[in-house]
Amino acid sequence: VTSLAPDLERLLAEFDARRPAAVARMVSIVENHRPGFDVALGLLHGRMGRARRIGITGPPGAGKSSLTVHVARSYREAGLTVGIVAVDPTSPFTGGALLGDRIRMEAVALDSGVFIRSMATRGSLGGLASATREVADVLDAYGFDRILIETVGVGQSELEVARTADTTVVTLVPESGDAIQALKAGLMEIADIFVVNKADRPGADKLRMEIELMLGLRLGPVLRPVPGHHGVELQEFVNPAKVARAAATADAADQWTPPVVRTVAITGDGTDELIAAVDRHYTYLERSGELRQRRRRRLRERVVEVVQNRMQQRLWEDEGTNAWLETQLPAMEAGERSPFAVADTLLARSADVLSSGRPT
Ligand SMILES: Nc1nc2c(ncn2[C@@H]2O[C@H](COP(=O)(O)OP(=O)(O)O)[C@@H](O)[C@H]2O)c(=O)[nH]1
Ligand SMILES: [Mg+2]
């Protein structure tokens, strides 16, 4: 394939004309890695980077989908277009939810300024994260102002998906146990903003305190030196939760402490505060240079990923390589050569195979 297939070229023209059907088809091509998906993504690359990507993660049932609907609606009211990528087989976006949720969903789904795609959960870890990112790339290139990425749970692949966003919102609920659970799951590290949802239920304040306590402990010393009498320095205990809250509300340009926002996603309470926190975080990202760094890191990771995939593909789809490997088996069986030596030799003799692709 040296040029774009005619139907892909037509699709791209329709995409540029901003036909809603074109974005849906482009997303499907990219999501399912249909032939030419990489050429298409390559052509769209220059148009990406305008959208703000917001990942919404947390345990199942925490209210991520409900929250996503409210956030999407608020953005729409502000005149912004919204793309939603949901990686959750039980979410209202995939039809797996209760009736009430679906009715709430439909109000958003019928709006042409909103595009929703739910992804099937894929087996491979890298596969899901990269497919999600690629779909977000398409939505970005199409011109959606905000892209909301909802992930299903708190496993390793969710953390990876969350890392593809500019801002990661970690949603916790009082009944999910305690903040320690979140810490163990690796959520503390990836959270740019914490949401304590279901704040209509008991325990919301306690959970918020726990989160702030942990953030405060991470921020540093809880003992603050105070000048004492007669030149003797005393130590004053400082509540780490207060340290975290003060840091989260301070407006430092190059420092970010995740704020903890309380929401009730069944009513939409707290949505404005959440959106304000996301905006503040974006301002921080821009001012501190972190946005550029995150995006650069993403591009770098992307190349590494593509190289890995292409190397695998080119090597193992090459008959010569497989045949040669076959000839090495007896020596390995006899203990004369190790798999490591064979691997090194294989790589050394594969330059032609590895560079067989057309540079794009
Ligand atoms: N009481 C209460 N229920 C909520 C709240 N937010 C969501 N729910 C309910 O919790 C359930 C799970 O919500 P959902 O958005 O699907 O959670 P997800 O799995 O994280 O996407 C649904 O039945 C919601 O109606 C809330 O703030 N308070
Ligand atoms: Mg959901």
Side-chain angles (χ1 to χ4, degrees), residues 65 88 91-92 150:
S65 298
D88 183 354
S91 97
E150 183 201 335

Side-chain angles (χ1 to χ4, degrees), residues 61 63-66 88 90-93 150-152:
K64 299 179 297 295
S65 298
S66 315
D88 183 354
T90 65
S91 97
F93 305 115
E150 183 201 335
T151 72
V152 60

Side-chain angles (χ1 to χ4, degrees), residues 276-290:
V278 171
D279 287 345
R280 271 206 316 280
H281 183 248
Y282 199 82
T283 305
Y284 151 77
L285 287 176
E286 280 186 319
R287 285 202 195 139
S288 63
E290 176 71 15

Side-chain angles (χ1 to χ4, degrees), residues 184-344:
K184 281 190 192 146
L187 287 177
M188 297 303 275
E189 285 75 23
I190 62 158
D192 298 307
I193 295 167
F194 283 98
V195 161
V196 172
N197 188 40
K198 305 199 184 179
D200 55 322
R201 300 214 173 142
D205 273 329
K206 184 168 166 279
L207 176 60
R208 193 188 65 178
M209 278 290 288
E210 283 174 358
I211 297 167
E212 284 172 344
L213 192 67
M214 274 195 274
L215 290 170
L217 290 173
R218 205 176 60 185
L219 280 176
V222 292
L223 288 172
R224 183 170 60 190
V226 264
H229 305 288
H230 317 298
V232 183
E233 214 170 66
L234 300 172
Q235 302 260 293
E236 181 192 54
F237 177 76
V238 184
N239 183 347
K242 277 191 185 157
V243 173
R245 205 170 309 160
T249 45
D251 236 347
D254 57 350
Q255 281 233 353
W256 180 258
T257 301
V260 185
V261 181
R262 287 167 48 122
T263 60
V264 182
I266 42 170
T267 62
D269 279 2
T271 308
D272 292 346
E273 287 81 354
L274 173 57
I275 285 178
V278 171
D279 287 345
R280 271 206 316 280
H281 183 248
Y282 199 82
T283 305
Y284 151 77
L285 287 176
E286 280 186 319
R287 285 202 195 139
S288 63
E290 176 71 15
L291 183 67
R292 179 148 179 250
Q293 258 174 358
R294 281 191 189 197
R295 290 186 169 182
R296 285 187 90 170
R297 193 184 64 212
R298 234 155 52 188
L299 288 172
R300 195 176 187 288
E301 286 172 354
R302 193 82 177 98
V303 173
V304 170
E305 186 179 59
V306 173
V307 166
Q308 252 162 9
N309 291 343
R310 296 208 159 160
M311 276 176 68
Q312 294 249 13
Q313 212 171 3
R314 286 175 191 174
L315 276 179
W316 305 123
E317 282 176 5
D318 178 63
E319 276 179 35
T321 304
N322 283 295
W324 180 84
L325 178 53
E326 214 52 43
T327 67
Q328 301 303 302
L329 294 176
M332 285 195 283
E333 270 177 326
E336 292 154 12
R337 296 203 75 193
S338 78
F340 299 97
V342 171
D344 283 337

